[in-house]
Short mmCIF file of all heavy atoms in Angstrom, two decimals:
data_model
loop_
_atom_site.label_atom_id
_atom_site.label_comp_id
_atom_site.label_asym_id
_atom_site.label_seq_id
_atom_site.Cartn_x
_atom_site.Cartn_y
_atom_site.Cartn_z
N MET A 797 10.33 -34.32 -61.03
CA MET A 797 10.09 -34.07 -59.61
C MET A 797 10.79 -32.77 -59.20
O MET A 797 11.91 -32.52 -59.61
CB MET A 797 10.64 -35.23 -58.78
CG MET A 797 10.14 -35.24 -57.36
SD MET A 797 10.71 -36.68 -56.44
CE MET A 797 12.39 -36.20 -56.07
N ALA A 798 10.10 -31.96 -58.42
CA ALA A 798 10.67 -30.69 -57.98
C ALA A 798 11.86 -30.94 -57.05
O ALA A 798 11.94 -31.95 -56.37
CB ALA A 798 9.60 -29.87 -57.27
N GLU A 799 12.76 -29.99 -57.06
CA GLU A 799 14.00 -30.15 -56.32
C GLU A 799 14.39 -28.79 -55.75
O GLU A 799 14.16 -27.76 -56.38
CB GLU A 799 15.08 -30.65 -57.29
CG GLU A 799 16.44 -30.84 -56.69
CD GLU A 799 17.48 -31.16 -57.76
OE1 GLU A 799 17.19 -31.00 -58.97
OE2 GLU A 799 18.59 -31.54 -57.38
N ILE A 800 14.97 -28.79 -54.55
CA ILE A 800 15.46 -27.55 -53.95
C ILE A 800 16.98 -27.56 -54.00
O ILE A 800 17.61 -28.55 -53.60
CB ILE A 800 15.01 -27.43 -52.48
CG1 ILE A 800 13.50 -27.53 -52.36
CG2 ILE A 800 15.51 -26.12 -51.87
CD1 ILE A 800 13.01 -27.70 -50.93
N VAL A 801 17.54 -26.48 -54.50
CA VAL A 801 19.00 -26.38 -54.58
C VAL A 801 19.44 -25.14 -53.81
O VAL A 801 18.92 -24.04 -54.03
CB VAL A 801 19.48 -26.30 -56.04
CG1 VAL A 801 20.99 -26.11 -56.09
CG2 VAL A 801 19.06 -27.54 -56.81
N ILE A 802 20.38 -25.31 -52.89
CA ILE A 802 20.95 -24.19 -52.15
C ILE A 802 22.36 -23.96 -52.68
O ILE A 802 23.19 -24.87 -52.68
CB ILE A 802 21.03 -24.48 -50.64
CG1 ILE A 802 19.64 -24.79 -50.08
CG2 ILE A 802 21.65 -23.29 -49.90
CD1 ILE A 802 19.68 -25.31 -48.65
N ASP A 803 22.62 -22.75 -53.15
CA ASP A 803 23.98 -22.39 -53.58
C ASP A 803 24.76 -22.03 -52.32
O ASP A 803 24.71 -20.89 -51.85
CB ASP A 803 23.91 -21.22 -54.56
CG ASP A 803 25.29 -20.82 -55.08
OD1 ASP A 803 26.30 -21.25 -54.49
OD2 ASP A 803 25.34 -20.09 -56.07
N THR A 804 25.45 -23.00 -51.78
CA THR A 804 26.12 -22.78 -50.49
C THR A 804 27.31 -21.81 -50.62
O THR A 804 27.76 -21.27 -49.61
CB THR A 804 26.61 -24.10 -49.88
OG1 THR A 804 27.38 -24.81 -50.85
CG2 THR A 804 25.43 -24.96 -49.46
N TYR A 805 27.79 -21.62 -51.84
CA TYR A 805 28.86 -20.63 -52.01
C TYR A 805 28.35 -19.24 -51.68
O TYR A 805 29.04 -18.44 -51.04
CB TYR A 805 29.40 -20.70 -53.45
CG TYR A 805 30.55 -19.76 -53.69
CD1 TYR A 805 31.82 -20.06 -53.22
CD2 TYR A 805 30.36 -18.56 -54.37
CE1 TYR A 805 32.88 -19.20 -53.43
CE2 TYR A 805 31.41 -17.68 -54.59
CZ TYR A 805 32.66 -18.01 -54.11
OH TYR A 805 33.71 -17.15 -54.32
N ARG A 806 27.10 -18.96 -52.11
CA ARG A 806 26.54 -17.63 -51.90
C ARG A 806 25.84 -17.50 -50.56
O ARG A 806 25.61 -16.38 -50.08
CB ARG A 806 25.57 -17.28 -53.03
CG ARG A 806 26.30 -16.94 -54.32
CD ARG A 806 25.39 -17.04 -55.53
NE ARG A 806 24.14 -16.31 -55.38
CZ ARG A 806 23.05 -16.58 -56.09
NH1 ARG A 806 23.06 -17.54 -56.97
NH2 ARG A 806 21.97 -15.87 -55.92
N CYS A 807 25.45 -18.61 -49.93
CA CYS A 807 24.72 -18.56 -48.66
C CYS A 807 25.56 -17.84 -47.60
O CYS A 807 26.73 -18.17 -47.39
CB CYS A 807 24.42 -19.99 -48.20
SG CYS A 807 23.70 -20.08 -46.54
N SER A 808 24.93 -16.86 -46.94
CA SER A 808 25.64 -16.09 -45.91
C SER A 808 25.44 -16.68 -44.52
O SER A 808 26.00 -16.18 -43.56
CB SER A 808 25.14 -14.65 -45.95
OG SER A 808 23.77 -14.60 -45.57
N GLY A 809 24.57 -17.70 -44.41
CA GLY A 809 24.30 -18.30 -43.12
C GLY A 809 23.42 -17.46 -42.22
O GLY A 809 23.46 -17.58 -41.00
N CYS A 810 22.59 -16.62 -42.83
CA CYS A 810 21.75 -15.70 -42.04
C CYS A 810 20.67 -16.43 -41.23
O CYS A 810 20.20 -15.91 -40.23
CB CYS A 810 21.10 -14.66 -42.95
SG CYS A 810 19.84 -15.34 -44.04
N GLY A 811 20.26 -17.60 -41.70
CA GLY A 811 19.28 -18.38 -40.96
C GLY A 811 17.83 -18.05 -41.26
O GLY A 811 16.92 -18.64 -40.66
N THR A 812 17.59 -17.14 -42.18
CA THR A 812 16.21 -16.76 -42.50
C THR A 812 15.39 -17.96 -42.97
O THR A 812 14.25 -18.16 -42.53
CB THR A 812 16.20 -15.66 -43.58
OG1 THR A 812 16.90 -14.54 -43.08
CG2 THR A 812 14.78 -15.28 -43.96
N CYS A 813 15.97 -18.76 -43.84
CA CYS A 813 15.23 -19.91 -44.37
C CYS A 813 14.89 -20.90 -43.25
O CYS A 813 13.81 -21.50 -43.26
CB CYS A 813 16.02 -20.60 -45.48
SG CYS A 813 17.66 -21.15 -44.99
N VAL A 814 15.78 -21.06 -42.30
CA VAL A 814 15.54 -21.98 -41.19
C VAL A 814 14.41 -21.46 -40.31
O VAL A 814 13.55 -22.22 -39.86
CB VAL A 814 16.83 -22.18 -40.36
CG1 VAL A 814 16.58 -23.14 -39.21
CG2 VAL A 814 17.95 -22.69 -41.24
N GLU A 815 14.40 -20.16 -40.08
CA GLU A 815 13.33 -19.56 -39.28
C GLU A 815 11.99 -19.70 -39.99
O GLU A 815 10.97 -19.98 -39.35
CB GLU A 815 13.61 -18.08 -39.05
CG GLU A 815 14.68 -17.81 -38.03
CD GLU A 815 14.94 -16.32 -37.86
OE1 GLU A 815 14.01 -15.52 -38.04
OE2 GLU A 815 16.09 -15.96 -37.59
N MET A 816 11.99 -19.53 -41.30
CA MET A 816 10.73 -19.53 -42.05
C MET A 816 10.23 -20.94 -42.34
O MET A 816 9.02 -21.15 -42.45
CB MET A 816 10.90 -18.76 -43.36
CG MET A 816 11.19 -17.29 -43.15
SD MET A 816 11.19 -16.37 -44.69
CE MET A 816 9.45 -16.39 -45.08
N CYS A 817 11.12 -21.90 -42.48
CA CYS A 817 10.70 -23.24 -42.88
C CYS A 817 11.64 -24.30 -42.29
O CYS A 817 12.40 -24.94 -43.00
CB CYS A 817 10.69 -23.32 -44.42
SG CYS A 817 9.95 -24.82 -45.05
N PRO A 818 11.57 -24.49 -40.96
CA PRO A 818 12.50 -25.43 -40.31
C PRO A 818 12.24 -26.89 -40.67
O PRO A 818 13.08 -27.74 -40.41
CB PRO A 818 12.24 -25.18 -38.81
CG PRO A 818 10.87 -24.60 -38.74
CD PRO A 818 10.68 -23.81 -40.01
N GLU A 819 11.07 -27.16 -41.30
CA GLU A 819 10.79 -28.54 -41.72
C GLU A 819 11.72 -28.95 -42.88
O GLU A 819 11.96 -30.13 -43.09
CB GLU A 819 9.34 -28.69 -42.20
CG GLU A 819 8.28 -28.38 -41.15
CD GLU A 819 8.02 -26.88 -40.99
OE1 GLU A 819 8.50 -26.10 -41.84
OE2 GLU A 819 7.36 -26.51 -40.00
N VAL A 820 12.21 -27.96 -43.60
CA VAL A 820 12.99 -28.24 -44.82
C VAL A 820 14.44 -27.78 -44.71
O VAL A 820 15.34 -28.45 -45.20
CB VAL A 820 12.31 -27.58 -46.05
CG1 VAL A 820 13.20 -27.64 -47.28
CG2 VAL A 820 10.96 -28.25 -46.32
N PHE A 821 14.65 -26.65 -44.01
CA PHE A 821 16.01 -26.09 -43.95
C PHE A 821 16.56 -26.16 -42.53
O PHE A 821 15.83 -26.03 -41.55
CB PHE A 821 16.01 -24.61 -44.39
CG PHE A 821 15.50 -24.39 -45.79
CD1 PHE A 821 14.20 -23.98 -46.02
CD2 PHE A 821 16.34 -24.60 -46.89
CE1 PHE A 821 13.72 -23.79 -47.31
CE2 PHE A 821 15.87 -24.40 -48.18
CZ PHE A 821 14.56 -23.99 -48.39
N ARG A 822 17.86 -26.35 -42.44
CA ARG A 822 18.57 -26.29 -41.15
C ARG A 822 19.96 -25.75 -41.42
O ARG A 822 20.41 -25.68 -42.57
CB ARG A 822 18.64 -27.68 -40.50
CG ARG A 822 19.54 -28.64 -41.24
CD ARG A 822 19.53 -30.01 -40.60
NE ARG A 822 20.32 -30.95 -41.40
CZ ARG A 822 20.23 -32.27 -41.31
NH1 ARG A 822 19.39 -32.82 -40.45
NH2 ARG A 822 20.97 -33.04 -42.06
N MET A 823 20.64 -25.36 -40.34
CA MET A 823 22.02 -24.91 -40.50
C MET A 823 22.93 -26.13 -40.44
O MET A 823 22.62 -27.12 -39.76
CB MET A 823 22.40 -23.91 -39.40
CG MET A 823 21.55 -22.65 -39.38
SD MET A 823 21.40 -21.83 -40.99
CE MET A 823 23.10 -21.27 -41.24
N ASP A 824 24.05 -26.09 -41.15
CA ASP A 824 24.97 -27.22 -41.13
C ASP A 824 25.66 -27.32 -39.77
O ASP A 824 25.43 -26.50 -38.87
CB ASP A 824 25.96 -27.13 -42.29
CG ASP A 824 26.94 -25.97 -42.16
OD1 ASP A 824 27.05 -25.38 -41.08
OD2 ASP A 824 27.59 -25.65 -43.16
N SER A 825 26.48 -28.33 -39.61
CA SER A 825 27.07 -28.60 -38.30
C SER A 825 27.95 -27.47 -37.80
O SER A 825 28.15 -27.33 -36.59
CB SER A 825 27.87 -29.91 -38.35
OG SER A 825 28.87 -29.82 -39.34
N MET A 826 28.46 -26.67 -38.72
CA MET A 826 29.29 -25.52 -38.32
C MET A 826 28.45 -24.26 -38.16
O MET A 826 28.98 -23.19 -37.86
CB MET A 826 30.39 -25.27 -39.36
CG MET A 826 31.31 -26.46 -39.59
SD MET A 826 32.34 -26.80 -38.17
CE MET A 826 33.52 -25.48 -38.31
N ALA A 827 27.12 -24.38 -38.42
CA ALA A 827 26.19 -23.25 -38.34
C ALA A 827 26.61 -22.10 -39.24
O ALA A 827 26.43 -20.94 -38.91
CB ALA A 827 26.00 -22.78 -36.90
N GLU A 828 27.18 -22.46 -40.38
CA GLU A 828 27.65 -21.42 -41.30
C GLU A 828 26.82 -21.34 -42.58
O GLU A 828 26.73 -20.29 -43.19
CB GLU A 828 29.11 -21.69 -41.69
CG GLU A 828 30.08 -21.47 -40.55
CD GLU A 828 31.52 -21.69 -40.98
OE1 GLU A 828 31.73 -22.33 -42.02
OE2 GLU A 828 32.40 -21.22 -40.26
N LYS A 829 26.26 -22.48 -42.98
CA LYS A 829 25.52 -22.55 -44.24
C LYS A 829 24.21 -23.29 -44.03
O LYS A 829 24.12 -24.17 -43.17
CB LYS A 829 26.34 -23.30 -45.30
CG LYS A 829 27.73 -22.73 -45.55
CD LYS A 829 27.68 -21.50 -46.40
CE LYS A 829 29.09 -21.00 -46.71
NZ LYS A 829 29.08 -19.78 -47.52
N ALA A 830 23.21 -22.95 -44.87
CA ALA A 830 21.97 -23.69 -44.83
C ALA A 830 22.13 -25.01 -45.57
O ALA A 830 22.91 -25.12 -46.51
CB ALA A 830 20.86 -22.86 -45.46
N GLU A 831 21.38 -26.00 -45.14
CA GLU A 831 21.32 -27.28 -45.84
C GLU A 831 19.91 -27.82 -45.72
O GLU A 831 19.10 -27.31 -44.94
CB GLU A 831 22.34 -28.28 -45.28
CG GLU A 831 22.07 -28.67 -43.84
CD GLU A 831 23.11 -29.64 -43.28
OE1 GLU A 831 24.15 -29.85 -43.92
OE2 GLU A 831 22.85 -30.18 -42.18
N LEU A 832 19.61 -28.85 -46.49
CA LEU A 832 18.28 -29.44 -46.46
C LEU A 832 18.19 -30.48 -45.35
O LEU A 832 19.14 -31.23 -45.11
CB LEU A 832 17.97 -30.09 -47.82
CG LEU A 832 17.92 -29.14 -49.01
CD1 LEU A 832 17.72 -29.93 -50.30
CD2 LEU A 832 16.81 -28.10 -48.84
N VAL A 833 17.05 -30.53 -44.69
CA VAL A 833 16.83 -31.52 -43.63
C VAL A 833 16.76 -32.92 -44.24
O VAL A 833 17.30 -33.87 -43.69
CB VAL A 833 15.54 -31.19 -42.86
CG1 VAL A 833 15.17 -32.31 -41.90
CG2 VAL A 833 15.69 -29.87 -42.11
N ALA A 834 16.08 -33.02 -45.39
CA ALA A 834 15.89 -34.31 -46.04
C ALA A 834 16.35 -34.23 -47.50
O ALA A 834 16.42 -33.15 -48.07
CB ALA A 834 14.43 -34.73 -45.97
N VAL A 835 16.64 -35.37 -48.08
CA VAL A 835 17.13 -35.40 -49.46
C VAL A 835 16.05 -34.93 -50.43
O VAL A 835 16.32 -34.17 -51.35
CB VAL A 835 17.60 -36.83 -49.84
CG1 VAL A 835 18.00 -36.88 -51.31
CG2 VAL A 835 18.75 -37.24 -48.95
N ALA A 836 14.83 -35.39 -50.23
CA ALA A 836 13.73 -35.04 -51.14
C ALA A 836 12.58 -34.44 -50.35
O ALA A 836 11.55 -35.09 -50.12
CB ALA A 836 13.28 -36.27 -51.91
N PRO A 837 12.73 -33.21 -49.90
CA PRO A 837 11.68 -32.59 -49.07
C PRO A 837 10.44 -32.25 -49.88
O PRO A 837 10.50 -32.07 -51.10
CB PRO A 837 12.35 -31.31 -48.57
CG PRO A 837 13.36 -30.99 -49.61
CD PRO A 837 13.83 -32.30 -50.15
N GLU A 838 9.33 -32.17 -49.19
CA GLU A 838 8.09 -31.76 -49.83
C GLU A 838 8.18 -30.25 -50.11
O GLU A 838 8.61 -29.48 -49.26
CB GLU A 838 6.91 -32.04 -48.88
CG GLU A 838 5.57 -31.87 -49.54
CD GLU A 838 4.43 -32.22 -48.58
OE1 GLU A 838 4.71 -32.80 -47.51
OE2 GLU A 838 3.29 -31.89 -48.91
N ILE A 839 7.78 -29.86 -51.31
CA ILE A 839 7.85 -28.46 -51.71
C ILE A 839 6.54 -27.78 -51.30
O ILE A 839 5.52 -27.93 -51.98
CB ILE A 839 8.07 -28.30 -53.22
CG1 ILE A 839 9.19 -29.21 -53.72
CG2 ILE A 839 8.35 -26.84 -53.55
CD1 ILE A 839 10.57 -28.84 -53.31
N THR A 840 6.56 -27.07 -50.20
CA THR A 840 5.37 -26.40 -49.69
C THR A 840 5.50 -24.88 -49.87
O THR A 840 6.58 -24.38 -50.23
CB THR A 840 5.19 -26.72 -48.20
OG1 THR A 840 6.39 -26.35 -47.52
CG2 THR A 840 4.91 -28.21 -47.98
N ASP A 841 4.43 -24.17 -49.60
CA ASP A 841 4.46 -22.72 -49.74
C ASP A 841 5.59 -22.07 -48.93
O ASP A 841 6.26 -21.16 -49.42
CB ASP A 841 3.11 -22.11 -49.34
CG ASP A 841 2.06 -22.29 -50.43
OD1 ASP A 841 2.45 -22.70 -51.56
OD2 ASP A 841 0.88 -22.05 -50.17
N PRO A 842 5.83 -22.50 -47.67
CA PRO A 842 6.93 -21.90 -46.92
C PRO A 842 8.30 -22.06 -47.60
O PRO A 842 9.20 -21.23 -47.39
CB PRO A 842 6.89 -22.65 -45.58
CG PRO A 842 5.47 -23.04 -45.43
CD PRO A 842 5.01 -23.39 -46.83
N VAL A 843 8.46 -23.10 -48.41
CA VAL A 843 9.72 -23.26 -49.15
C VAL A 843 9.88 -22.11 -50.14
O VAL A 843 10.95 -21.49 -50.24
CB VAL A 843 9.77 -24.61 -49.88
CG1 VAL A 843 10.99 -24.69 -50.79
CG2 VAL A 843 9.78 -25.76 -48.88
N TYR A 844 8.81 -21.83 -50.87
CA TYR A 844 8.85 -20.73 -51.83
C TYR A 844 9.04 -19.39 -51.12
O TYR A 844 9.74 -18.50 -51.61
CB TYR A 844 7.57 -20.70 -52.67
CG TYR A 844 7.47 -21.82 -53.67
CD1 TYR A 844 6.66 -22.91 -53.42
CD2 TYR A 844 8.21 -21.79 -54.85
CE1 TYR A 844 6.57 -23.95 -54.34
CE2 TYR A 844 8.13 -22.82 -55.78
CZ TYR A 844 7.30 -23.90 -55.51
OH TYR A 844 7.23 -24.92 -56.42
N GLN A 845 8.40 -19.25 -49.95
CA GLN A 845 8.55 -18.00 -49.19
C GLN A 845 9.99 -17.84 -48.70
O GLN A 845 10.55 -16.75 -48.77
CB GLN A 845 7.56 -17.99 -48.02
CG GLN A 845 6.12 -17.82 -48.48
CD GLN A 845 5.11 -18.19 -47.41
OE1 GLN A 845 5.46 -18.44 -46.26
NE2 GLN A 845 3.84 -18.23 -47.79
N ALA A 846 10.57 -18.92 -48.22
CA ALA A 846 11.96 -18.86 -47.76
C ALA A 846 12.88 -18.49 -48.92
O ALA A 846 13.80 -17.67 -48.77
CB ALA A 846 12.38 -20.20 -47.15
N ALA A 847 12.61 -19.06 -50.09
CA ALA A 847 13.42 -18.74 -51.27
C ALA A 847 13.27 -17.26 -51.63
O ALA A 847 14.25 -16.59 -51.97
CB ALA A 847 13.02 -19.62 -52.44
N ALA A 848 12.05 -16.76 -51.52
CA ALA A 848 11.80 -15.36 -51.87
C ALA A 848 12.47 -14.40 -50.89
O ALA A 848 12.94 -13.32 -51.29
CB ALA A 848 10.30 -15.10 -51.92
N PHE A 849 12.53 -14.80 -49.62
CA PHE A 849 13.08 -13.92 -48.60
C PHE A 849 14.58 -14.12 -48.38
O PHE A 849 15.19 -13.36 -47.63
CB PHE A 849 12.34 -14.10 -47.27
CG PHE A 849 11.05 -13.33 -47.20
CD1 PHE A 849 9.87 -13.88 -47.69
CD2 PHE A 849 11.01 -12.05 -46.65
CE1 PHE A 849 8.68 -13.17 -47.65
CE2 PHE A 849 9.83 -11.33 -46.60
CZ PHE A 849 8.66 -11.90 -47.11
N CYS A 850 15.17 -15.12 -48.99
CA CYS A 850 16.61 -15.34 -48.85
C CYS A 850 17.34 -14.09 -49.37
O CYS A 850 17.21 -13.73 -50.54
CB CYS A 850 17.05 -16.56 -49.66
SG CYS A 850 18.84 -16.72 -49.76
N PRO A 851 18.10 -13.41 -48.52
CA PRO A 851 18.74 -12.16 -48.94
C PRO A 851 19.79 -12.36 -50.03
O PRO A 851 20.10 -11.43 -50.76
CB PRO A 851 19.37 -11.62 -47.65
CG PRO A 851 19.50 -12.80 -46.76
CD PRO A 851 18.38 -13.73 -47.11
N GLU A 852 20.33 -13.56 -50.11
CA GLU A 852 21.35 -13.83 -51.13
C GLU A 852 20.74 -14.43 -52.39
O GLU A 852 21.45 -14.69 -53.37
CB GLU A 852 22.43 -14.77 -50.58
CG GLU A 852 23.05 -14.33 -49.26
CD GLU A 852 23.70 -12.96 -49.35
OE1 GLU A 852 24.13 -12.58 -50.44
OE2 GLU A 852 23.75 -12.26 -48.32
N LYS A 853 19.44 -14.70 -52.35
CA LYS A 853 18.74 -15.32 -53.50
C LYS A 853 19.48 -16.60 -53.95
O LYS A 853 19.71 -16.81 -55.14
CB LYS A 853 18.63 -14.33 -54.67
CG LYS A 853 17.75 -13.12 -54.34
CD LYS A 853 16.29 -13.52 -54.31
CE LYS A 853 15.36 -12.38 -53.93
NZ LYS A 853 15.09 -12.28 -52.51
N CYS A 854 19.85 -17.41 -52.97
CA CYS A 854 20.61 -18.61 -53.31
C CYS A 854 19.83 -19.90 -53.11
O CYS A 854 20.41 -20.99 -53.15
CB CYS A 854 21.92 -18.64 -52.53
SG CYS A 854 21.75 -18.66 -50.75
N ILE A 855 18.50 -19.77 -52.90
CA ILE A 855 17.65 -20.96 -52.85
C ILE A 855 16.87 -21.02 -54.16
O ILE A 855 16.16 -20.08 -54.50
CB ILE A 855 16.66 -20.91 -51.67
CG1 ILE A 855 17.41 -20.83 -50.35
CG2 ILE A 855 15.73 -22.13 -51.71
CD1 ILE A 855 16.51 -20.58 -49.15
N GLU A 856 17.02 -22.13 -54.86
CA GLU A 856 16.30 -22.29 -56.13
C GLU A 856 15.40 -23.51 -56.03
O GLU A 856 15.83 -24.58 -55.58
CB GLU A 856 17.30 -22.46 -57.27
CG GLU A 856 16.64 -22.54 -58.63
CD GLU A 856 17.63 -22.74 -59.77
OE1 GLU A 856 18.83 -22.84 -59.50
OE2 GLU A 856 17.18 -22.83 -60.91
N VAL A 857 14.13 -23.33 -56.42
CA VAL A 857 13.21 -24.45 -56.50
C VAL A 857 13.08 -24.80 -57.98
O VAL A 857 12.58 -24.00 -58.77
CB VAL A 857 11.83 -24.11 -55.91
CG1 VAL A 857 10.91 -25.31 -55.98
CG2 VAL A 857 11.98 -23.63 -54.46
N LYS A 858 13.57 -25.98 -58.33
CA LYS A 858 13.53 -26.42 -59.73
C LYS A 858 12.30 -27.28 -59.93
O LYS A 858 12.15 -28.32 -59.29
CB LYS A 858 14.79 -27.22 -60.06
CG LYS A 858 16.06 -26.39 -59.98
CD LYS A 858 17.26 -27.18 -60.44
CE LYS A 858 18.50 -26.30 -60.48
NZ LYS A 858 19.67 -27.02 -61.00
N GLU A 859 11.40 -26.82 -60.79
CA GLU A 859 10.15 -27.55 -61.04
C GLU A 859 10.41 -28.74 -61.97
O GLU A 859 11.20 -28.67 -62.85
CB GLU A 859 9.12 -26.62 -61.67
CG GLU A 859 8.85 -25.37 -60.84
CD GLU A 859 7.95 -25.63 -59.64
OE1 GLU A 859 7.41 -26.75 -59.53
OE2 GLU A 859 7.78 -24.71 -58.83
S1 SF4 B 217 18.12 -17.51 -46.22
FE1 SF4 B 217 19.60 -17.82 -47.89
S2 SF4 B 217 21.49 -16.85 -47.19
FE2 SF4 B 217 20.17 -17.12 -45.39
S3 SF4 B 217 20.83 -19.11 -44.53
FE3 SF4 B 217 19.10 -19.50 -45.90
S4 SF4 B 217 20.05 -20.02 -47.88
FE4 SF4 B 217 21.60 -19.01 -46.63
#
């Protein structure tokens, strides 16, 4: 099963992924790092686009 992994150490909290795919990504309670909305989100095209546009390249989609 595909899985999304966010390297929160490298995440700068820019919010790009949240803007591009709010169904899957949100900012944590401190608004500092991205996190997943759900444990096992559906892997849609916007997920791949958010990963591609992440400036820190810290979103990985594991097939
Ligand atoms: S786009 Fe990347 S660096 Fe920006 S908040 Fe999302 S995971 Fe973090």
Side-chain angles (χ1 to χ4, degrees):
M797 195 176 78
E799 179 188 13
I800 304 168
V801 176
I802 302 170
D803 182 345
T804 52
Y805 183 76
R806 286 161 50 202
C807 173
S808 65
C810 69
T812 300
C813 57
V814 180
E815 285 179 31
M816 295 187 71
C817 189
E819 300 81 12
V820 170
F821 301 99
R822 69 183 175 198
M823 300 310 292
D824 67 14
S825 58
M826 302 292 285
E828 291 182 342
K829 305 283 183 181
E831 64 182 11
L832 297 175
V833 171
V835 175
E838 190 177 348
I839 313 289
T840 55
D841 283 349
V843 172
Y844 288 103
Q845 289 164 8
F849 278 86
C850 171
E852 307 302 333
K853 295 287 177 269
C854 60
I855 300 172
E856 184 181 0
V857 182
K858 296 185 174 183
E859 304 282 353

